Amino acid sequence: MNTLESLPPLRDVIATHGLAARKSLGQNFLLDLNLTAKIARTAGVLSDADVLEIGPGPGGLTRSLLAEGARRVVAVERDRRCMPALAEIAQACPGRLEVIYADALQFDPREHLSPPVKVTANLPYNVGTHLLTRWLSPPEWPPFWQSLTLMFQREVAERIVAAPGSKSYGRLSILSGWRSQARLVMDIPARAFTPQPKVNSAVVHIEALPAPRFPAEAKALEKVVASAFRHRRKMLRSSLKSLAPDIEDKLNMADIKPTDRPETVDVERFCALSELLDKG
Ligand code: SAM
């Protein structure tokens, strides 16, 4: 029987199974198992956790998650061509890898997982941000996941971890800063991928806090933040005026100057404003 160590190099796996990268699926593969091992380690101790991996592709990161001792890995992939390669990995680790052929945007993996759950993914940019927003936005907290370890274009990673006042600060920073702790943990140069993309990437590690830092309703906060950042250069009294006739009073009550621009307002004051708007 194969073991993880005896599986062929990823280049051979790609050749054997005809996994030429498809642009339409955002396929840029990581073939260096030393690098995928480093990424797996940034997800923390895995031996007591189920890992949800989205987009395993030929299975480089999947192998590393298992080699680093993950209790179980549930891997969701929408390219059917990858199934035989992933089945070989599952055979090498009996009972520890479940592969699901599905579009992660249409599929709810929760019934396949037992807590604690750590999520890892190296996804195309648009799918990654869509899922991140979904994972950060449930009405109830804590969420089904304990941590998210995700690869993004470097510029998106900067937006997730940005502090108020920086030019990257915006919706993603507020969404992640409200109920979780996000850190940029590793830079990955474009040349590490096959084929090589145009831009560099970075890994972000996000830990869910046990409770939100500040009281707010997820939907109400999202609404005010979306309106505030739709026009970054506008003063808040102007960009938020459609949300309440007395918006200037509400801004003052939340300790925000009506002439402020959104990138100067921290998460606490956005939460206070959303509570004031939500509760009338
Ligand atoms: N994890 C592998 C690696 O690091 O080499 C592959 C990464 S590649 C950037 C993205 C992977 O996500 C591809 O295998 C692609 O088929 C898969 N993918 C793209 N969109 C997806 C979706 N909506 N649901 C599940 N998998 C998806």
Side-chain angles (χ1 to χ4, degrees):
M1 191 186 78
N2 266 335
T3 60
L4 275 180
E5 297 72 34
S6 67
L7 289 169
L10 287 160
R11 277 189 199 286
D12 297 357
V13 171
I14 286 173
T16 308
H17 297 289
L19 302 181
R22 284 198 179 143
K23 218 175 174 177
S24 60
L25 289 169
Q27 291 181 333
N28 301 95
F29 300 131
L30 288 172
L31 305 185
D32 175 353
L33 289 170
N34 290 317
L35 183 59
T36 54
K38 274 194 198 153
I39 297 171
R41 286 198 283 273
T42 66
V45 176
L46 303 177
S47 53
D48 62 351
D50 277 10
V51 178
L52 170 64
E53 187 192 1
I54 310 289
L61 183 58
T62 321
R63 289 194 204 184
S64 295
L65 292 164
L66 291 160
E68 291 299 319
R71 179 174 72 192
R72 279 181 73 239
V73 175
V74 174
V76 180
E77 171 59 59
R78 68 172 289 193
D79 184 354
R80 199 187 273 288
R81 297 177 308 157
C82 298
M83 295 299 122
L86 295 168
E88 284 171 11
I89 304 174
Q91 273 163 15
C93 303
R96 290 177 59 214
L97 172 61
E98 181 182 357
V99 181
I100 298 170
Y101 168 59
D103 178 347
L105 294 172
Q106 310 292 336
F107 176 76
D108 184 348
R110 280 175 293 181
E111 68 180 47
H112 295 259
L113 296 159
S114 309
V117 174
K118 297 191 170 200
V119 180
T120 66
N122 171 17
L123 280 170
Y125 154 76
N126 53 341
V127 180
T129 22
H130 192 115
L131 287 173
L132 173 67
T133 309
R134 183 187 296 175
W135 289 327
L136 291 173
S137 314
E140 304 300 331
W141 203 262
F144 77 93
W145 50 271
Q146 184 183 66
S147 68
L148 309 172
T149 305
L150 310 172
M151 178 98 67
F152 288 102
Q153 294 181 3
R154 168 87 207 193
E155 170 265 324
V156 179
E158 282 168 10
R159 279 164 42 201
I160 296 166
V161 303
S166 93
K167 76 175 187 335
S168 304
Y169 182 70
R171 289 171 73 177
L172 281 181
S173 341
I174 292 165
L175 201 54
S176 70
W178 174 37
R179 303 188 284 191
S180 58
Q181 182 72 43
R183 284 180 302 131
L184 200 158
V185 286
M186 201 190 291
D187 279 313
I188 313 274
R191 65 173 181 280
F193 297 89
T194 306
Q196 186 170 327
K198 288 203 179 70
V199 294
N200 293 328
S201 295
V203 177
V204 176
H205 182 74
I206 302 174
E207 301 260 348
L209 296 174
R213 286 182 216 273
F214 312 106
E217 293 297 324
K219 276 212 160 64
L221 180 62
E222 170 58 15
K223 186 173 169 191
V224 68
V225 170
S227 304
F229 283 94
R230 195 159 294 131
H231 305 286
R232 289 183 77 88
R233 301 307 310 148
K234 271 195 183 175
M235 293 179 197
L236 287 167
R237 70 174 173 211
S238 150
S239 51
L240 299 182
K241 68 173 184 264
S242 64
L243 297 188
D246 56 346
I247 191 63
E248 293 216 15
D249 293 344
K250 296 252 168 28
L251 285 163
N252 283 319
M253 283 160 75
D255 200 22
I256 301 170
K257 285 202 209 87
T259 52
D260 276 349
R261 296 193 161 76
E263 69 262 28
T264 63
V265 177
D266 58 20
V267 179
E268 179 171 13
R269 289 181 297 153
F270 266 119
C271 287
L273 179 63
S274 80
E275 286 281 89
L276 287 163
L277 289 166
D278 195 35
K279 307 212 158 119

